[in-house]
Amino acid sequence: MLNQLKTAKDLGTPGIFLSLTRIPLTERLIVGSSDAKLYEYDFAAEKTEALAYGEGHASYVTGVAWTTGGIVSGAYDGKVIWWDMTTRQAIRTVDAHAKWVRRVHASPDGKIVVSIADDMLAKVWDAESGKLLHTLGGHEPITPHHYPSMLYAAAFSPDGKLLATGDKVGHIVIWNVDTGAKVTTVESPGMYTWDPKQRRHSIGGIRSLAFSRDGKTLAVGGVGNIGNIDHLDGPARVELFDWQAAKSLKVLEDNKFKGLVEQLWFSPNDQWLVTSGGDNNGFVTIYDVATQQIPHQEKGHQHIHAMVGSESGNKIFTAHHGRLIAWSLTTDSATA
Amino acid sequence: MTHRSYFCGSPDHGVSRRGFLGTAAAASAFAADMTHLDVLQTPLFASEVKKQQKHVILLWLAGGASQLETWDPKPGAPTGGPFRAINTSVPGVAISELMPKLAARMEHTAIVRSLNTRNADHGGGALMMETGRAVDQGIPCPDLGAMIAHELGRADSPVPDYVSMYSSTEGRRKGGSGFLGSRYAPMFLAEQTIPENIRRLEAVSDIDHQQRQELRTFLAKRFANGRMDNTVASQNMAYERVRGLMTSEKLFDVEQEPAEMRAKYGPTQFGEQCLIARRLVEAGVPFVKVARAWWDSHGQNFETHLELVTELDHVMSTLIDDLKDRGLLEHTLIITLGEFGRTPGINASLGRDHFASAWSSSLSGCGIKGGAVWGKTDEDGHKVIDGEVKAGDLFATVFEALGVDHKREFHIGARPIPITDFGCGPIKSILA
Amino acid sequence: MLTRLISLVCALGVCFPALVAAELPSPDLPIQAVIDAAIRDDLAAKSIIPALPAAEATILRRTTLDLAGRIPTLTELADFEKQSPSEKREKLVDRLLDSPDFALHQRNEWDALLLPSTRESSNEWREYLLKAALENRPWDQMFADMLAAKDDDVDRRGALQFVKARARELDDLTNDTSVLFFGVNVSCAKCHDHPLVDDWKQDHFYGMTSFFSRTYVTRNRRVAEKSYGEVKFKTTKGVEKVGHLMFLTGAQVAEPPRELTPEQRKTEDDAVRKAQQEENAELPAPPQFSPRWELVQLALQPENRPFLARAAVNRIWARFMGRGLVHPLDQLHSSNSASHPALLDWLERDFVNHGYDWKRLIRGIVLSEAYAWSSEWTSATSVPGPETYAIAAIRPLSPRQLGLSLHVAVSNPASYEMVLDAAKWSQNRNGLEGAGNGWAGYFEQPTEHFQVSATESLFFSNAERVQNDLLRDGGDRLVGVLKAQTERDSGIQTAYRVILSRAPSDEELNAFRGFLSQREDRSVAGWQQAVWALITSPEFRFNY
């Protein structure tokens, strides 16, 4: 049984931390910030200090991923930048997208990297050469209500062969990474709230995606229907799909800790699904995948934008609006 | 005779934080003296009217749009948010990247970046920015539309003087004519796109509709014999306007426009309403308000502004082009305004909250020096550092842009009420 | 002390009856006689010859609208025409004052005045007003009920809606109380001593505010008061002052000294907050000292009561005569004298001497000669000013008067044949009230210098409800009656008598004959449009 989710380390930070990656087998975290910078924090060090990356981006850094070709980041300036992990300087800058880059993700082996942006394109890059492998365009740029749409989320499958992308109105495309071909589509319209009467704009969108470790289930995260769309006051929403059958398995809505599900992470044996995000406040909510119950959840200090887990599954790291936290995740089997 | 002035009109009321007079008491105590108020300008020849008639289209950004994501970007500041500033057609003037189309038309627009209106409450802020008054008058005051209808409307006009659209339900406010009386109240469109009771019922034939009105006029004339009464006269005027107002029904029908024109304004409701506003203005309506609600982005400010500013940029640019193509832009003033702006500070939901200390408005077209920028905020946008203006200053500027003397007074019984709030005057440097 | 008080009160233009009694007409005269003499004397002094007496049918209509809140029915018109000329007016007035209509109309008038539609109302409030109207509850008692009824007094607590609806806005509560009960608008004095009216100082505004500052409304919508609390304000010179419980005359109430420890204050604050926020919270015990009750006591003391009495007399006068003896109604102060000062003094004294009996005053006013003058000015001389009352005022109907009158006008007149039988009529009158209210919501409450809006003219011109309800040709409707008439002229006569309470002139008869003869092929539509023209005419829309 899962019995503990504890703050192991908690750092107050000046900016809004929007993205986060971890160098494998270490606790070296690289975060993307609202001040257009990247910073490295070593949580294993006795004294964790911010090591700033060099110049590069001009806006919010919303995507960062460790790859075998270095750290790759994406920002609202439309750029995708490769960084040397040692010198923390830019080694390659690409004007990758015409609009905001929302996320950057690396394949599990670190050899492929994808950037997604509000130009509604997913661009698949060779992480080492920086070569553009595929430009994937399967998302409508305009919502059914005639406003600009957004492409918020992407995830690789554990074997690295598939890529899922999810947009504002709840449309998900699953791609073959090798060929760039569309494999299938899945819909999760409950992630998008359009208010046609009271406030006449929208809120929500698919904000996170994750394949289970066995590759069979696709978890989709966002926020459920919101009454007053001025605020993020809606249920933290996760929808689980048997993606091969394009079949919705379960909608999990939490009204205790509300807001956007910004991140999803399956523990190594698919026992737990860890979700995080929030409204003004942050949350970490853990679902037991088998029972779909919540054995544990914690309020996080302010909204959580990004999260990564450790290889062993006993640690997670969260990047907040003004905070960086390491959590220890202990289970009975681990403690036994 | 001793001087009888019932109210003081003293600027000391500036220290009053809020209104302190019940409307009931006020309304019964003072209402418009029609002998002063109801003298609409005398009719001119139609061609002259068309040439000289001035109009206002007020784009009311209800809920409070962010100045940082529109007219006063602060790129790079911690408060600036993720959007960049872009250059405009006017050298030296930059606005948010969310408004590329308006940037290309900056030569028609003046920006006021230094509103400090101090009231960051939706209701109180809206009342102040609707009426242009921070100083409580102790009586219900008319909003901008009613004042403009009063100044620019014509007695013989077959169209309404003041049309107000507010279709979203959040924060819906009808606006009002206050002491100017219901003659200047808006024709209000909420859920419906065509005004209420503007269409003849099929059960009543056109000839009956017209002739029963003539029969009524016959009765009214008999009654007026020996009875000079302004309220009675207002009833007759209200009936005399009926047939004319009914002919304006088609103005509200967007289907009357060619598909190509409708496509230009785009498929959103705001686009359609602005197209209707242009149709109304073209037909001689002096004041049209189109409220776009709801901008109150406490959560997800940037996502909301991505939607709403993109729409504003497109629709307002189309409106400017359309008015210009028709030769109407120089007679039509387009205003963007709301009850307040939004906080420079970004909250944990990536939202911005209510903020009235340093925010922006824009004026385009009639009487405006295009490309002019008035006022300055500090580098984070927290406060005004140059050219602070109040609601009354902005209103005085609007009056002057339309050729209305901002020092003009209304007379409520014996009491004069200036059209412009106490201590306020126009921003001359942005007037043409 | 007494001398100082007298001179102060006189400076306010509100003098003791005792000081001027010698100059006033005898207290034993009938009200209408004193009014008639005062107005005639003033007109003579100004060499004005007043308008002619109004036609009898006009007097019937005017009086019925004023006392019953609706136009007269056909039955009432016929009855009035039969009465002997010498006593018909008095009989009419007394019948109407005793009719079930009067209490309902009086309630509606109070309701519209004291709680305009923008404020929260309640059934309890409307029931209270109706009961007060039915039992002719004296105005001083009603005043006390509205400001300070005990919350457990089921009979009177409905009156507290006046306070309840304003409890969240202290300034509104202060100023509305001053305006509506005392005829004084002190709002300018909030920010500074009034520059033009010496009577009004900031001390007066905050003095009045202090009576209300402890009032709050609980979560259960009950009116309650805290046991402590004061109003602080800054003078224009920036001096911090504390408001004293002070009436408009300057008279003050001393609160018994009472020391509260910070802990006691906190305990009370917590209890008050709980009562404001929680559904079933226990109410803190009512304080021993109630500032609102003190205001009532102070305002009713002989040296202070002229404010309440004068304001009530002036407002009732204005309602029936179109303009206050002091104008505007909220400007009772020393630099704004009455048009007929002695008349106002006499009426005020009479009102107080007869126990604030507003119904008695109403009877006197509507029986006066000036009330019954014509609203038409036929003389070649210029029209005299409204302050002379030489010509009857033209007054727009209130929404409820208009709603009720529309319903009466378009109904089959046979539905109201029992109107003279008070017992039978009272069974029908409530139904009429509901029907009238169903229309009232379409119209605006008139204010001074009221203007009829295009919204109203468009409504009458094009609304389905007008066509399908008012102009319906069913047997219960006037149009149904008219279409069944074989003689066109008698139909026109009926329509005029039912809607305008008079016979048509020859010219009118001709006009309607012409209109209807063009519609012989569709006579229902013809009658519908004829009725439409009559109900939208100014003669119907106004009490003239």
Side-chain angles (χ1 to χ4, degrees):
Chain A
M1 276 302 291
L2 182 86
N3 57 13
Q4 270 189 322
L5 174 66
K6 265 198 338 204
T7 304
K9 193 157 192 170
D10 183 346
L11 279 184
T13 58
I16 308 168
F17 283 179
L18 299 159
S19 52
L20 175 64
T21 192
R22 185 178 58 85
I23 298 172
L25 305 170
T26 74
E27 292 194 5
R28 287 169 65 195
L29 306 176
I30 292 103
V31 296
S33 168
S34 63
D35 67 1
K37 290 250 166 54
L38 285 84
Y39 298 93
E40 179 178 324
Y41 292 86
D42 186 353
F43 265 52
E46 212 152 288
K47 193 155 183 265
T48 306
E49 283 180 291
L51 301 171
Y53 272 50
E55 295 295 313
H57 284 299
S59 189
Y60 285 19
V61 182
T62 45
V64 60
W66 172 88
T67 74
T68 53
I71 298 295
V72 181
S73 65
Y76 281 178
D77 57 10
K79 290 185 169 58
V80 173
I81 300 181
W82 273 255
W83 306 84
D84 183 297
M85 270 184 283
T86 320
T87 65
R88 299 192 295 275
Q89 296 302 313
I91 48 180
R92 184 184 300 113
T93 298
V94 181
D95 278 323
H97 293 274
K99 290 189 174 178
W100 288 359
V101 175
R102 292 290 187 165
R103 290 291 181 200
V104 168
H105 291 283
S107 60
D109 63 6
K111 290 186 173 159
I112 305 279
V113 66
V114 64
S115 58
I116 50 165
D118 284 352
D119 57 9
M120 306 310 280
L121 301 175
K123 292 195 173 178
V124 181
W125 314 84
D126 181 312
E128 284 166 22
S129 68
K131 187 179 165 214
L132 177 63
L133 301 174
H134 304 290
T135 297
L136 310 175
H139 294 273
E140 288 294 328
I142 301 293
T143 68
H145 305 102
H146 315 294
Y147 292 89
S149 190
M150 294 138 194
L151 187 57
Y152 286 119
F156 282 98
S157 61
D159 61 8
K161 290 184 174 158
L162 298 170
L163 173 72
T165 53
D167 67 17
K168 175 157 185 164
V169 300
H171 181 60
I172 300 149
V173 183
I174 294 170
W175 311 88
N176 179 314
V177 176
D178 283 344
T179 65
K182 201 181 271 188
V183 176
T184 188
T185 60
V186 180
E187 305 297 332
S188 184
M191 300 293 180
Y192 171 70
T193 302
W194 164 255
D195 175 347
K197 188 175 164 71
Q198 206 169 345
R199 295 179 171 81
R200 208 172 282 273
H201 62 95
S202 72
I203 200 162
I206 291 174
R207 302 301 180 105
S208 49
L209 290 162
F211 285 93
S212 60
R213 302 280 174 153
D214 65 10
K216 290 180 181 164
T217 304
L218 180 68
V220 182
V223 62
N225 192 269
I226 297 184
N228 175 354
I229 61 168
D230 293 343
H231 302 268
L232 285 172
D233 187 21
R237 186 175 196 269
V238 176
E239 187 164 9
L240 301 172
F241 286 92
D242 172 348
W243 65 268
Q244 281 163 309
K247 190 178 146 207
S248 176
L249 301 171
K250 180 82 182 174
V251 173
L252 306 167
E253 288 201 339
D254 181 29
N255 278 299
K256 189 175 170 204
F257 291 115
K258 293 185 175 190
L260 296 167
V261 174
E262 295 269 16
Q263 298 289 329
L264 292 162
W265 181 73
F266 282 94
S267 67
N269 52 5
D270 276 341
Q271 193 178 4
W272 317 117
L273 173 60
V274 183
T275 72
S276 62
D279 42 27
N280 269 304
N281 293 309
F283 65 76
V284 177
T285 296
I286 301 178
Y287 287 93
D288 181 320
V289 174
T291 65
Q292 292 160 353
Q293 298 302 303
I294 299 175
H296 209 103
Q297 62 186 155
E298 285 290 333
K299 182 175 164 181
H301 173 94
Q302 297 202 310
H303 191 100
I304 296 173
H305 289 285
M307 173 177 77
V308 290
S310 65
E311 286 85 356
S312 62
N314 61 10
K315 260 197 175 167
I316 55 171
F317 303 89
T318 51
H320 302 237
H321 191 93
R323 220 154 190 88
L324 197 57
I325 298 178
W327 309 75
S328 66
L329 190 68
T330 339
T331 63
D332 282 350
S333 53
T335 47
Chain B
M1 184 182 159
T2 53
H3 178 58
R4 269 201 203 177
S5 184
Y6 305 119
F7 261 83
C8 41
S10 163
D12 288 351
H13 291 300
V15 303
S16 162
R17 262 187 34 260
R18 52 175 298 279
F20 48 81
L21 184 72
T23 50
S28 61
F30 300 108
D33 180 343
M34 290 189 45
T35 54
H36 294 281
L37 290 175
D38 213 40
V39 187
L40 284 159
Q41 292 161 39
T42 48
L44 296 170
F45 292 111
S47 57
E48 283 297 295
V49 170
K50 185 142 191 178
K51 208 175 351 167
Q52 294 184 9
Q53 177 71 62
K54 291 184 171 141
H55 320 270
V56 177
I57 297 175
L58 171 61
L59 305 180
W60 179 257
L61 311 180
S66 169
Q67 67 283 2
L68 298 149
E69 273 70 54
T70 51
W71 303 112
D72 194 13
K74 299 284 175 188
T79 53
F83 296 105
R84 291 175 300 148
I86 51 171
N87 290 325
T88 68
S89 62
V90 175
V93 178
I95 59 177
S96 170
E97 67 170 321
L98 288 172
M99 308 202 294
K101 296 174 184 175
L102 286 168
R105 292 159 180 81
M106 201 64 216
E107 67 273 18
H108 300 299
T109 298
I111 304 173
V112 176
R113 283 179 173 157
S114 49
L115 279 161
N116 179 4
T117 51
R118 295 188 176 90
N119 191 334
D121 165 68
H122 285 298
L127 186 64
M128 186 195 306
M129 300 318 296
E130 282 165 357
T131 59
R133 293 178 200 274
V135 179
D136 189 81
Q137 298 293 316
I139 50 170
C141 285
D143 61 20
L144 182 64
M147 289 191 281
I148 297 301
H150 182 264
E151 296 304 306
L152 303 183
R154 286 170 193 283
D156 64 333
S157 169
V159 294
D161 300 319
Y162 174 13
V163 175
S164 171
M165 303 178 220
Y166 197 133
S167 43
S168 302
T169 55
E170 185 63 24
R172 184 184 289 168
R173 295 168 63 91
K174 196 171 169 180
S177 48
F179 61 70
L180 290 177
S182 47
R183 169 67 180 78
Y184 301 103
M187 181 176 266
F188 187 64
L189 296 169
E191 261 97 46
Q192 81 282 18
T193 55
I194 306 261
E196 257 186 319
N197 300 322
I198 202 171
R199 188 177 292 163
R200 178 173 55 79
L201 294 172
E202 278 179 27
V204 182
S205 72
D206 190 51
I207 184 92
D208 280 2
H209 195 277
Q210 190 178 335
Q211 289 184 350
R212 74 179 183 183
Q213 180 114 316
E214 289 163 12
L215 190 60
R216 184 203 168 276
T217 305
F218 160 77
L219 296 172
K221 282 196 174 136
R222 278 182 53 88
F223 185 76
N225 214 352
R227 293 187 183 93
M228 298 275 286
D229 184 273
N230 286 321
T231 308
V232 174
S234 80
Q235 191 210 16
N236 292 330
M237 190 195 274
Y239 277 94
E240 278 160 25
R241 291 180 71 209
V242 163
R243 300 276 299 178
L245 290 172
M246 287 171 67
T247 61
S248 66
E249 181 194 342
K250 280 206 164 33
L251 298 176
F252 294 91
D253 182 5
V254 78
E255 305 275 341
Q256 304 286 325
E257 286 286 324
E260 191 192 342
M261 183 53 71
R262 295 179 62 190
K264 278 188 187 168
Y265 279 86
T268 66
Q269 187 194 52
F270 181 59
E272 288 202 345
Q273 289 172 330
C274 284
L275 177 52
I276 290 170
R278 191 271 289 154
R279 288 175 60 79
L280 292 168
V281 156
E282 194 174 33
V285 177
F287 194 96
V288 185
K289 172 174 170 177
V290 182
R292 174 65 176 94
W294 182 247
W295 292 72
D296 198 20
S297 50
H298 292 287
Q300 303 276 291
N301 174 73
F302 308 115
E303 313 300 306
T304 300
H305 279 73
L306 237 171
E307 283 191 333
L308 298 185
V309 184
T310 302
E311 180 187 44
L312 175 68
D313 180 54
H314 174 77
V315 172
M316 185 168 156
S317 299
T318 309
L319 183 61
I320 288 174
D321 290 354
D322 193 9
L323 289 170
K324 196 173 158 213
D325 291 348
R326 288 162 198 268
L328 284 166
L329 187 57
E330 60 180 306
H331 306 295
T332 307
L333 177 64
I334 305 170
I335 307 171
T336 66
L337 187 63
E339 61 261 53
F340 42 60
R342 306 212 73 82
T343 46
I346 299 162
N347 68 31
S349 293
L350 295 185
R352 295 191 192 270
D353 302 311
H354 302 178
F355 187 64
S357 309
W359 59 290
S360 306
S361 166
S362 74
L363 304 169
S364 312
C366 180
I368 290 300
K369 188 190 286 173
V373 175
W374 175 262
K376 207 172 164 189
T377 51
D378 68 4
E379 58 183 11
D380 289 338
H382 285 295
K383 59 178 191 287
V384 174
I385 52 171
D386 186 33
E388 176 173 310
V389 295
K390 299 192 277 287
D393 300 315
L394 185 68
F395 273 50
T397 311
V398 168
F399 296 138
E400 291 292 335
L402 297 166
V404 173
D405 180 1
H406 79 280
K407 289 183 181 152
R408 180 193 186 319
E409 288 178 338
F410 300 116
H411 291 269
I412 310 308
R415 176 191 176 198
I417 297 189
I419 192 168
T420 300
D421 204 11
F422 294 104
C424 294
I427 308 165
K428 293 199 177 118
S429 70
I430 65 169
L431 290 168
Chain C
M1 175 68 201
L2 187 64
T3 333
R4 204 174 67 82
L5 198 58
I6 288 170
S7 62
L8 172 67
V9 172
C10 278
L12 288 164
V14 183
C15 294
F16 280 106
L19 294 175
V20 288
E23 306 155 26
L24 294 183
S26 159
D28 303 326
L29 287 169
I31 294 173
Q32 57 270 37
V34 177
I35 295 173
D36 293 346
I39 287 180
R40 281 283 182 190
D41 287 352
D42 179 60
L43 290 174
K46 291 171 178 160
S47 307
I48 294 169
I49 298 167
L52 296 170
E56 288 206 334
T58 307
I59 293 174
L60 169 70
R61 186 178 186 275
R62 187 183 295 169
T63 312
T64 309
L65 276 165
D66 272 336
L67 299 183
R70 56 170 174 81
I71 56 167
T73 64
L74 197 55
T75 305
E76 286 169 307
L77 176 62
D79 176 66
F80 192 67
E81 287 165 343
K82 282 193 321 227
Q83 302 283 332
S84 106
S86 60
E87 48 184 24
K88 59 170 36 172
R89 253 185 91 193
E90 200 159 340
K91 280 177 84 172
L92 169 70
V93 167
D94 287 331
R95 177 176 70 78
L96 291 174
L97 286 173
D98 285 339
S99 72
D101 298 272
F102 177 74
L104 288 165
H105 178 53
Q106 184 59 38
R107 183 268 305 270
N108 292 345
E109 288 286 307
W110 277 330
D111 188 24
L113 173 71
L114 298 166
L115 272 190
S117 56
T118 47
R119 299 217 175 260
E120 170 202 324
S121 190
S122 71
N123 285 338
E124 225 179 8
W125 161 255
R126 288 175 55 77
E127 279 160 20
Y128 169 84
L129 292 179
L130 184 58
K131 197 149 180 283
L134 281 166
E135 65 187 37
N136 193 16
R137 187 168 290 183
W139 183 244
D140 56 340
Q141 287 183 31
M142 291 183 65
F143 160 69
D145 293 345
M146 283 187 257
L147 287 193
K150 296 279 168 286
D151 194 67
D152 54 4
D153 184 344
V154 179
D155 203 32
R156 290 168 190 261
R157 73 177 184 197
L160 282 175
Q161 188 70 31
F162 179 84
V163 171
K164 201 184 291 180
R166 298 167 169 89
R168 286 157 61 112
E169 292 116 28
L170 180 59
D171 291 345
D172 286 1
L173 186 51
T174 304
N175 207 52
D176 286 2
T177 301
S178 303
V179 167
L180 296 168
F181 292 109
F182 308 127
V184 169
N185 193 325
V186 289
S187 61
C188 268
K190 177 172 180 176
C191 311
H192 54 79
D193 294 345
H194 200 292
L196 301 168
V197 184
D198 292 339
D199 310 348
W200 300 340
K201 309 283 187 207
Q202 271 183 300
D203 291 338
H204 290 98
F205 182 85
Y206 290 97
M208 289 297 286
T209 303
S210 299
F211 290 108
F212 298 107
S213 67
R214 296 179 192 174
T215 295
Y216 67 96
V217 174
T218 70
R219 180 69 193 262
N220 295 341
R221 306 300 298 152
R222 305 259 62 106
V223 177
E225 261 176 324
K226 294 200 290 184
S227 79
Y228 77 96
E230 54 201 14
V231 175
K232 290 193 178 118
F233 66 102
K234 250 193 191 156
T235 66
T236 40
K237 294 192 178 110
V239 181
E240 281 256 8
K241 278 179 121 175
V242 174
H244 295 289
L245 297 167
M246 186 172 93
F247 189 59
L248 298 162
T249 53
Q252 293 189 22
V253 184
E255 182 172 6
R258 184 160 160 267
E259 286 299 321
L260 273 176
T261 63
E263 290 74 35
Q264 285 171 316
R265 288 186 181 225
K266 189 175 178 305
T267 309
E268 181 172 338
D269 289 349
D270 288 347
V272 168
R273 198 170 310 120
K274 220 169 161 199
Q276 286 174 312
Q277 292 170 356
E278 291 175 23
E279 201 73 50
N280 296 311
E282 201 180 320
L283 279 190
Q288 296 287 314
F289 181 85
S290 158
R292 272 189 286 114
W293 178 246
E294 295 297 329
L295 171 61
V296 169
Q297 297 309 304
L298 201 57
L300 292 176
Q301 278 171 18
E303 67 274 20
N304 299 326
R305 73 187 174 202
F307 271 100
L308 181 72
R310 235 174 146 75
V313 167
N314 197 41
R315 199 172 275 283
I316 291 171
W317 176 274
R319 179 175 140 202
F320 295 97
M321 303 301 286
R323 180 187 168 99
L325 290 164
V326 173
H327 175 84
L329 295 177
D330 65 349
Q331 302 293 321
L332 278 175
H333 57 79
S334 52
S335 52
N336 187 30
S337 50
S339 58
H340 299 71
L343 175 59
L344 182 58
D345 289 343
W346 189 92
L347 290 172
E348 176 204 321
R349 182 184 66 186
D350 184 73
F351 188 58
V352 173
N353 287 350
H354 288 87
Y356 296 84
D357 183 345
W358 44 268
K359 196 168 176 178
R360 182 176 180 280
L361 174 61
I362 289 173
R363 183 177 186 276
I365 293 172
V366 298
L367 283 173
S368 70
E369 184 189 24
Y371 176 80
W373 282 333
S374 172
S375 61
E376 198 178 349
W377 191 250
T378 50
S379 155
T381 56
S382 63
V383 190
E387 71 286 354
T388 64
Y389 304 100
I391 175 170
I394 300 172
R395 294 167 285 148
L397 304 189
S398 72
R400 283 186 176 122
Q401 277 176 319
L402 183 54
L404 286 168
S405 298
L406 278 172
H407 194 76
V408 170
V410 303
S411 295
N412 183 336
S415 345
Y416 302 122
E417 272 168 2
M418 79 303 276
V419 68
L420 298 172
D421 181 336
K424 279 189 189 155
W425 178 230
S426 66
Q427 291 166 24
N428 290 272
R429 184 57 179 77
N430 281 336
L432 174 60
E433 187 71 8
N437 266 340
W439 292 98
Y442 294 104
F443 312 117
E444 283 176 76
Q445 180 70 30
T447 52
E448 212 185 339
H449 303 291
F450 177 65
Q451 295 167 71
V452 175
S453 68
T455 307
E456 181 176 317
S457 58
L458 283 168
F459 172 75
F460 275 109
S461 298
N462 297 323
E464 276 185 42
R465 245 201 108 181
V466 170
Q467 176 70 15
N468 298 341
D469 188 340
L470 296 180
L471 304 180
R472 191 155 48 82
D473 68 337
D476 60 337
R477 285 288 183 264
L478 178 63
V479 173
V481 173
L482 296 174
K483 76 171 182 188
Q485 299 227 359
T486 44
E487 286 284 314
R488 181 185 294 147
D489 277 11
S490 72
I492 299 169
Q493 295 277 356
T494 302
Y496 260 82
R497 284 172 66 79
V498 169
I499 299 170
L500 300 181
S501 315
R502 67 174 173 92
S505 70
D506 289 346
E507 189 196 6
E508 289 173 312
L509 202 52
N510 271 331
F512 277 79
R513 277 178 192 144
F515 185 84
L516 291 165
S517 67
Q518 286 164 5
R519 288 162 177 77
E520 265 170 350
D521 57 328
R522 49 199 163 96
S523 67
V524 171
W527 284 116
Q528 284 176 323
Q529 307 324 337
V531 168
W532 183 89
L534 290 167
I535 61 173
T536 58
S537 69
E539 191 173 338
F540 187 77
R541 181 67 179 83
F542 295 88
N543 192 358
Y544 63 95

